[in-house]
Amino acid sequence: TGANAAGGSTEATDTGTLGKVQCELGSAATDFEHRDYMSELARCQRYYCRFTPGTAYGYYPFGTGVASTTSRVIMTPVFPVWMRAAPSQSDSGAFFAYDGGNVAVTGISVNQMTAISAQLYVDSSTGFTQYRPYILYNNNDAAAYVAFDAEL
């Protein structure tokens, strides 16, 4: 212990790890609530879900769909958990659709959105083959993502 400038005492402490801390408002403490990792992740995914390849993958499959026209694929990604509300969608990066050959993607937009899945339009100006299945990939862009946000 030592003295501080106001005349009180201070405690000398060593370095260490502090775990199982629970902060609360008010003067009454409640029992410690421990949630396992998977439960906590599912709670977080109710508000935000992001599909991204990370740095290890040059080409990551984001989802599958079928070409409804020669310029559009309809893709229906399913969220890992029910979101708290129908989310908004955002994306960034370079993408292509694959059906045995690569078709450059010019845009991704929302057709319909619910709390459990989305129906996305994947557009291209170079042309899809109507009624063929396609897989949406990032085009060697590790920072590419498709995200769904249901924040309050």
Side-chain angles (χ1 to χ4, degrees):
T1 63
N4 65 18
S9 64
T10 60
E11 291 293 323
T13 60
D14 202 344
T15 60
T17 301
L18 182 63
K20 297 186 179 181
V21 174
Q22 180 170 303
C23 299
E24 298 182 342
L25 292 175
S27 59
T30 61
D31 290 338
F32 182 77
E33 180 181 6
H34 174 74
R35 295 183 189 143
D36 64 277
Y37 177 80
M38 293 306 293
S39 296
E40 196 65 23
L41 177 61
R43 289 174 187 258
C44 293
Q45 288 174 329
R46 291 188 66 235
Y47 293 88
Y48 187 78
C49 175
R50 181 170 166 153
F51 299 96
T52 185
T55 57
Y57 302 103
Y59 302 99
Y60 175 82
F62 284 90
T64 60
V66 175
S68 61
T69 68
T70 58
S71 62
R72 177 166 285 165
V73 168
I74 298 176
M75 184 178 119
T76 308
V78 177
F79 309 137
V81 299
W82 280 74
M83 300 191 83
R84 58 166 290 282
S88 60
Q89 181 267 335
S90 62
D91 58 80
S92 178
F95 299 92
F96 70 89
Y98 180 78
D99 70 339
N102 297 351
V103 179
V105 170
T106 57
I108 300 173
S109 60
V110 173
N111 178 36
Q112 296 178 6
M113 191 74 72
T114 68
I116 192 62
S117 69
Q119 187 176 77
L120 302 179
Y121 287 151
V122 178
D123 295 324
S124 176
S125 60
T126 59
F128 297 115
T129 302
Q130 191 172 17
Y131 307 122
R132 287 201 66 179
Y134 285 86
I135 304 171
L136 179 67
Y137 283 95
N138 62 310
N139 194 3
N140 201 23
D141 182 353
Y145 69 86
V146 178
F148 300 92
D149 189 342
E151 284 289 334
L152 299 174

